[in-house]
Amino acid sequence: MLSESQFDRIGQALVAIAQRMEHSLLTAMVEGFRAISPHASNAAANLRGKGMKSRELRQRASRDAAYRRAKSRQRGIYQRTCQQAINTARKEAAEAVPKEVGRAVREAHEGDKAYYRQAGQTPPPDDGLDGIIKDISGQTSAIMDTLLRSAAYRQPGGGYVKARDIFLREVERAANEMLSGNKTFDRAANEAVRGLAREGLKTVDYESGRVMQLDTAVRLNMQTAAAQANGRVSVENVLKTGTNHVEVSRHWGARTDGSGGHADHQAWQGQVYMVNGSDATYRNLTEATGYPGDLLGLFGYNCRHNMFPFWPGISTPNQWPDEPPPREYNGKTYTQTEATDRQRALERQIRALKREALACEAQGDKAAFSRIARRLKEREAEYKRFSEAMDIRAKVERCSVEGYNRSVAGKVTQAAKRSARVEAINEAISNSGNPKKLTGEPDERLKSTSPVDTPMLKGVVPKNANLTNVEV
């Protein structure tokens, strides 16, 4: 059997592999955009003022020799980098999965042995574990490889593009925005990369249409592997020791569809079953829970239940604590399941902002970095407040992003503090009774020195200051 903390640890190494792959792609995009930028800008500058319509402008710019060479070269570099990052992730995953599954199997077995000893029974032998590890590792590795190979980004207009093909599309989109006169190439490129970072790399099943964040899908795959390992070890240990009865654990927030079937975990949790057969007192484990054939049931997809050996006439069923009543936060009431879902949503938001902060740092965009830093610290504070209000452990390991190290975290903290100070000063000025920002012409100057006296800011705006840049 596995504890909650053991469940949470398993798979972190695989999540880190997927996140490193994603970070490599974003870094490669930033470098590619930077290399193309001067050529794209020169192509546009050579065509300005010639009275061409947008379509003709785009066509002429796309034929600029230097721009075409730069675009072709950087596309090739990005695609090679992308393929290398995916291949590296696949190789690392193939090595890491058996280790993670092996740890889950061994920890589940040691947990079972401790339970048997506590019950005064002979612990199960250690044989057969390697076979379980091999079986589950094979299935999990195949799924992991598919997840990594199917990595894609969502397009702003809808639809998904494979990771290796996204760069050229974003370059052309940035160039079109520049040629339309809306933005510079650098600004459009920076916004494109930040948008991709915010959305995150997805894994797409094109047959079913199912889409998930790549790191979330990797985590779920590993936790499902851990659940299957947990179940397989528990059942085999029960059969090895000649016991035929098991008790399934009960936990708060178990999923339910109201059907009373295998997918309705609330319907069958916290009860005693027979592994083989059934009688008037105990139902059959497989019939009630779907284990081992139904991935929607016990020890299936993202299931976190445990199973304990049970000796009729000797064992006493566990007294599981009742789920707490709904709790209120900021005027809204949350059940345990709703609170857990909200916590997962906040974790995804925090990871998205961390990815965006990394993109801003790679771009050297200090203004955007400060804005993201402020939002990130606010989300982290909200996550902590919500978790405490719901009495749920804050799972900070789920908020981690590869590349977001102590150095970056320190820069985010400082940038958020500076942003908060600037906002406080601006608010003090706007509430001081002084006029807001003056909208003069660029050559309009202040006729005389103007004092500034607020609770947070004291001083003067000097005579001849440009009124378009000053609040007085």
Side-chain angles (χ1 to χ4, degrees), residues 184-258:
T184 64
F185 183 85
D186 285 340
R187 180 181 172 188
N190 286 352
E191 289 179 0
V193 174
R194 289 203 300 272
L196 293 174
R198 182 169 54 252
E199 282 286 338
L201 198 56
K202 316 288 185 183
T203 177
V204 183
D205 184 336
Y206 292 96
E207 290 185 6
S208 67
R210 182 178 177 84
V211 179
M212 294 184 70
Q213 293 289 134
L214 178 61
D215 56 2
T216 299
V218 166
R219 188 188 304 278
L220 288 176
N221 184 39
M222 289 308 301
Q223 292 191 336
T224 299
Q228 293 175 332
N230 197 25
R232 180 94 172 262
V233 167
S234 294
V235 168
E236 292 200 9
N237 284 340
V238 164
L239 297 177
K240 284 177 188 176
T241 55
T243 311
N244 193 37
H245 292 74
V246 293
E247 182 179 7
V248 176
S249 66
R250 179 183 173 194
H251 66 76
W252 299 345
R255 59 182 177 264
T256 179
D257 61 3

Side-chain angles (χ1 to χ4, degrees), residues 246 248 273-275 283-291 298 307:
V246 293
V248 176
Y273 301 96
M274 293 176 67
V275 177
R283 298 166 64 196
N284 178 263
L285 179 69
T286 301
E287 291 178 1
T289 69
Y291 180 80
L298 177 63
M307 186 189 293

Side-chain angles (χ1 to χ4, degrees), residues 11-20 215-216 218-219 222 400 402:
Q12 278 297 109
L14 275 299
V15 171
I17 289 170
Q19 290 179 344
R20 279 198 298 274
D215 56 2
T216 299
V218 166
R219 188 188 304 278
M222 289 308 301
S400 63
E402 280 293 297

Side-chain angles (χ1 to χ4, degrees), residues 22 26 29 153-156 166 170 173 187-202 213 352 355-356 359-360 363 372:
E22 181 172 3
L26 288 171
M29 274 190 266
Y153 284 104
R154 188 169 75 174
Q155 286 281 268
I166 191 68
E170 292 302 313
R173 193 159 67 89
R187 180 181 172 188
N190 286 352
E191 289 179 0
V193 174
R194 289 203 300 272
L196 293 174
R198 182 169 54 252
E199 282 286 338
L201 198 56
K202 316 288 185 183
Q213 293 289 134
R355 291 192 300 267
E356 201 170 349
C360 291
Q363 294 165 341
I372 298 304

Side-chain angles (χ1 to χ4, degrees), residues 306-358:
N306 267 308
M307 186 189 293
F308 309 91
F310 187 88
W311 296 272
I314 299 175
S315 300
T316 301
N318 284 291
Q319 298 299 309
W320 305 101
D322 291 332
E323 186 168 310
R327 290 184 169 90
E328 186 176 311
Y329 180 77
N330 282 352
K332 183 176 179 180
T333 301
Y334 294 84
T335 65
Q336 193 72 18
T337 300
E338 291 168 341
T340 301
D341 290 344
R342 172 64 175 157
Q343 197 182 49
R344 295 293 87 79
L346 288 168
E347 290 159 2
R348 288 192 295 272
Q349 292 170 19
I350 289 170
R351 292 199 303 272
L353 288 167
K354 286 182 177 180
R355 291 192 300 267
E356 201 170 349
L358 288 172

Side-chain angles (χ1 to χ4, degrees), residues 67 100 160 232 273 343 361 407 412:
Y67 173 54
E100 291 293 292
Y160 294 88
R232 180 94 172 262
Y273 301 96
Q343 197 182 49
E361 187 185 39
S407 174
V412 164

